[in-house]
Amino acid sequence: MAIAPQPIDESGLTPEEIERHWFENVYAGDRMPQLTVRAVVMGMLLGMLMACSNVYVSLKTGWTLGVSITCCILAYAIFATLRKVFPRWFPSFSILENNAMQSAASAAGSMPSGGISNAIPALIMLNPASLPVDFQTRCLWLIPWLACIALLGVFLAVPAKRQLINIEKLPFPTGLAAATTLRSLHDTSGEAARQAKALGWSGLIGILITLFRDAIPKGAATIAFPWAEKLSWAPIKSWVKWPNLPIAWPHVESVWGTSWIRIGTFKDAPLFLNQVTMSLEGSLLFIAGGALISFRQAWSMMLGAFINYVILAPIMLNAGVIETASFRKISAWSLWIGVPMMVTSGLLLFFMNWRTVARAFGTISTFLGRKGDGGDPMDRIEVPGSWFIAGWVTLGLIIVVLGHQLFHIQWWMGVIAVFITFFLATVSGRATGETDVTPVGPLSKITQLTFGAIAPGNIPTNLMTANISAGATAHAGDLLTDLKSGYLLGANPRQQFLAQMFGVLAGAVVVVPVLFIIIPDINMLGTEKWPAPAALVWRGVAELLAKGVGALHPTARMGLAIGASLGIILTLLEVWFPKAKKFIPSPTGLGLAFTFNGFNSISFFIGSCIALALAKWAPRVHERFTVPVSSGLIAGESLMGVAVAFMGIFGWLEL
């Protein structure tokens, strides 16, 4: 039975007394299994699956999804089943084993955020010659590159852990949610079984959707709807978009035609919403994703999509600024509104929270000033400072060498990037603890701007030094979040640190091959199918720093000024009027809508509306099933998408 420890009044206690109380009253790492072989293996395997899923999702949406809670539920359900079938081979699965498992799985599942979703696709789009041509050589070099960056982040989390988690007890909301989920799973197996079943069924639905959409050859089957013949209101053909889905929609022409979704003309022909990606996609992935984000972000995306595709795109098409009505052409222009909006907003928020930065540097000094006197029991279970120094120096040197060999980054620039990352990772750890958001975007932009000044025009150096900062800060935040759940459950932090390292290695092995298998042709990046929004942002910043503002079309320069100004104005409005924040467009959501398909924004909005309705009218259903069902749909559809790509590569399927 996992019981949450009762909180105590720690006011007036010294840091040593606070840690000793936890060690004596909460710590369970010496009397309960934790870093077992089965926990690590299960975590690595589940993490590899989630990493494949996140490669797919990140190239579609621009971000990766947290996998901790999903893996907790899956692992518990799997081990519960194995225990029933093979009770002798699979005895009880402890809560700390499950926590170690989710640490490994989370580390592996978040690997795409270390470069696969942003820096590497951006580099491919801007300078494909920077990477080896053949598949094997790319994997041979990029796997250790990404693994070392992620491991660097794991080590950089060490200086902040005791101060942020043990002493200050920052919330780390995702870590708190994971610990709560684990307690719930191990206290009431019935609830765990229901959540696991919901996740499994929704995953199957996601698999079937992708199978019918992408795997069944076109024209292999048709489904007729007799009622469609009597349909008098039928702009369905232009509004509903089912790419490659072998379903026929006969006799759907309406007496009204499709004039109600006509948004103008282009080259003397009607221009309809579906031509500018404002349609519905044959997918539940983004609807599920919308259920997991805030309603403010979702309606901001919808507003941005309407402004971009319904208002601005037709104007720019008829003015000759945008050549054709396609996502690639429209986004090549509109990203100059969205990217500066997100960059200025993120940087402004970062610098406005200067106290967080100052406290972060205080955390470093506290760690460096800590001396083990042999009487502190925490020294036996915490990651020692000697590990941190050895890991940071060793991995830093390897990254400098790999950066020089792979991307021709001057060694002294690589050293600067590693030192900058040390401070940025500390800052990001505190930001993650206080807000649950790891500011990977703003921090990577600091590195991009720094090397834009140091090495102007050098795109590989600009992108891949920022890759070091982004990947390391992302994994530092991920480990601290996992360590928070471990702290609440009484886990051994040193063993959890080791589980995280195993997860990084597992994730690195799969993400690079999966990227180049599902994107065999680099020209597919930035298209309607694979918009890669995060990569477009990185590409935009690198391109701007390399070419200068003068190289942009005058309308794009105007959009850049407007977007940058809006990012600042909306952020200041959030800060000045916090009570009205839900009515103020999110600069992140609004800006993101200018970098990906319109149907993504529509789907996100629909999913968020469904979640909002459930939260209001069926709160218990929402609390229990929104996360498992949404996670299952996302995992099922994305994993099947990766599987379809594999089958196409090996000739098992004609795509």
Side-chain angles (χ1 to χ4, degrees):
M1 180 74 70
I3 302 174
Q6 295 298 315
I8 64 163
D9 182 10
E10 295 180 344
S11 58
L13 297 181
T14 65
E16 291 76 14
E17 290 170 335
I18 293 172
E19 289 190 318
R20 184 173 289 276
H21 177 271
W22 176 87
F23 182 80
E24 293 174 350
N25 296 277
V26 181
Y27 177 63
D30 291 340
R31 61 178 185 271
M32 191 183 297
Q34 181 175 335
L35 191 69
T36 61
V37 173
R38 62 180 182 173
V40 172
V41 171
M42 177 62 74
M44 292 173 72
L45 292 175
L46 287 178
M48 290 168 81
L49 285 175
M50 294 298 103
C52 294
S53 170
N54 264 335
V55 172
Y56 185 97
V57 171
S58 66
L59 292 175
K60 292 279 191 179
T61 67
W63 62 70
T64 57
L65 300 170
V67 302
S68 298
I69 294 176
T70 302
C71 288
C72 287
I73 297 171
L74 278 174
Y76 184 87
I78 291 170
F79 274 110
T81 303
L82 291 174
R83 186 184 178 189
K84 289 180 180 179
V85 178
F86 306 106
R88 181 180 296 180
W89 296 349
F90 293 93
S92 60
F93 185 50
S94 79
I95 192 171
L96 295 190
E97 281 185 285
N98 207 337
N99 183 64
M101 180 282 309
Q102 69 95 7
S103 293
S106 175
S110 60
M111 278 302 295
S113 63
I116 290 296
S117 64
N118 40 51
I120 293 172
L123 182 63
I124 292 172
M125 286 189 278
L126 284 173
N127 191 355
S130 298
L131 291 177
V133 176
D134 62 291
F135 176 85
Q136 291 83 357
T137 308
R138 283 177 175 176
C139 294
L140 181 66
W141 283 101
L142 288 178
I143 288 174
W145 168 257
L146 293 178
C148 288
I149 289 174
L151 289 172
L152 179 68
V154 171
F155 278 94
L156 290 179
V158 172
K161 189 269 175 181
R162 291 182 73 167
Q163 181 65 27
L164 301 186
I165 296 176
N166 299 14
I167 308 303
E168 296 184 40
K169 292 184 168 48
L170 295 186
F172 288 95
T174 297
L176 175 61
T180 303
T181 300
L182 284 169
R183 286 197 185 105
S184 173
L185 291 173
H186 287 262
D187 282 350
T188 54
S189 58
E191 182 67 25
R194 286 191 292 270
Q195 289 183 323
K197 190 177 293 185
L199 193 150
W201 280 110
S202 59
L204 179 61
I205 292 171
I207 288 171
L208 292 175
I209 287 173
T210 309
L211 187 68
F212 277 97
R213 186 189 65 217
D214 297 341
I216 296 178
K218 299 176 187 177
T222 58
I223 300 177
F225 295 92
W227 49 262
E229 297 182 14
K230 303 176 183 179
L231 205 61
S232 60
W233 176 82
I236 296 176
K237 197 169 186 179
S238 293
W239 177 255
V240 181
K241 180 180 181 180
W242 297 91
N244 300 340
L245 190 64
I247 296 179
W249 302 83
H251 311 296
V252 192
E253 297 300 329
S254 166
V255 293
W256 297 346
T258 53
S259 59
W260 79 283
I261 58 168
R262 175 175 170 173
I263 55 176
T265 59
F266 177 55
K267 294 183 178 178
D268 298 324
L271 182 66
F272 296 102
L273 282 176
N274 66 306
Q275 292 177 265
V276 291
T277 77
M278 290 293 284
S279 56
L280 290 179
E281 188 189 25
S283 167
L284 293 180
L285 188 149
F286 298 105
I287 292 177
L292 298 177
I293 66 174
S294 70
F295 183 68
R296 178 172 175 249
Q297 292 283 1
W299 73 256
S300 298
M301 289 183 198
M302 190 67 194
L303 175 63
F306 183 83
I307 293 171
N308 185 33
Y309 292 107
V310 180
I311 298 175
L312 296 180
I315 294 173
M316 294 303 158
L317 281 165
N318 284 291
V321 177
I322 301 175
E323 300 169 7
T324 58
S326 67
F327 168 73
R328 172 170 275 185
K329 294 295 184 181
I330 295 173
S331 65
W333 176 84
S334 65
L335 68 86
W336 298 110
I337 301 174
V339 170
M341 193 185 307
M342 290 186 282
V343 170
T344 56
S345 168
L347 290 176
L348 179 61
L349 273 176
F350 176 76
F351 287 114
M352 287 180 72
N353 292 325
W354 59 269
R355 291 182 181 85
T356 297
V357 179
R359 288 194 296 270
F361 288 112
T363 300
I364 297 174
S365 62
T366 300
F367 173 77
L368 295 177
R370 190 187 299 272
K371 294 181 180 179
D373 56 6
D376 186 355
M378 298 297 289
D379 289 339
R380 179 173 60 84
I381 62 173
E382 293 284 0
V383 179
S386 58
W387 288 22
F388 159 70
I389 297 296
W392 182 46
V393 172
T394 303
L395 290 166
L397 288 174
I398 295 173
I399 289 169
V400 169
V401 172
L402 286 174
H404 180 69
Q405 293 295 323
L406 255 179
F407 309 111
H408 308 292
I409 301 172
Q410 295 296 320
W411 67 267
W412 60 272
M413 293 186 188
V415 171
I416 291 174
V418 171
F419 270 99
I420 289 175
T421 300
F422 170 68
F423 295 105
L424 295 183
T426 304
V427 172
S428 80
R430 179 169 287 278
T432 304
E434 293 178 353
T435 68
D436 205 34
V437 176
T438 304
V440 173
L443 294 176
S444 66
K445 298 303 168 282
I446 290 174
T447 308
Q448 277 194 275
L449 293 171
T450 300
F451 283 91
I454 295 175
N458 191 329
I459 286 176
T461 294
N462 185 279
L463 286 171
M464 303 319 289
T465 51
N467 184 191
I468 298 171
S469 297
T473 54
H475 281 273
D478 181 68
L479 174 57
L480 287 170
T481 298
D482 292 339
L483 288 171
K484 174 68 177 183
S485 66
Y487 181 81
L488 294 171
L489 298 172
N492 184 309
R494 190 179 298 189
Q495 292 186 20
Q496 205 167 351
F497 172 88
L498 295 173
Q500 196 87 4
M501 294 182 69
F502 281 113
V504 165
L505 296 175
V509 169
V510 298
V511 292
V512 177
V514 168
L515 170 66
F516 292 111
I517 285 173
I518 64 176
I519 311 286
D521 181 3
I522 59 174
N523 293 317
M524 296 168 65
L525 285 168
T527 63
E528 186 174 311
K529 183 175 182 180
W530 300 107
L536 288 179
V537 174
W538 282 56
R539 187 190 78 175
V541 174
E543 209 169 17
L544 184 64
L545 293 172
K547 297 180 180 178
V549 177
L552 300 177
H553 189 277
T555 59
R557 292 201 294 269
M558 186 183 302
L560 189 151
I562 293 172
S565 301
L566 275 175
I568 294 171
I569 293 168
L570 294 174
T571 301
L572 291 176
L573 289 175
E574 288 180 16
V575 176
W576 292 340
F577 305 103
K579 292 183 179 179
K581 185 176 179 179
K582 62 181 179 181
F583 302 109
I584 301 169
S586 161
T588 301
L590 192 66
L592 195 61
F594 286 82
T595 65
F596 61 27
N597 301 295
F599 54 73
N600 287 0
S601 296
I602 295 171
S603 297
F604 273 120
F605 181 68
I606 292 172
S608 190
C609 287
I610 295 171
L612 186 68
L614 281 175
K616 184 175 182 179
W617 290 304
R620 293 194 68 183
V621 174
H622 171 70
E623 183 181 347
R624 289 179 178 179
F625 296 114
T626 295
V627 171
V629 170
S630 300
S631 300
L633 287 170
I634 292 168
E637 189 165 338
S638 56
L639 289 173
M640 190 63 208
V642 174
V644 168
F646 270 88
M647 288 188 284
I649 290 292
F650 291 108
W652 300 336
L653 183 69
E654 282 189 29
L655 299 178

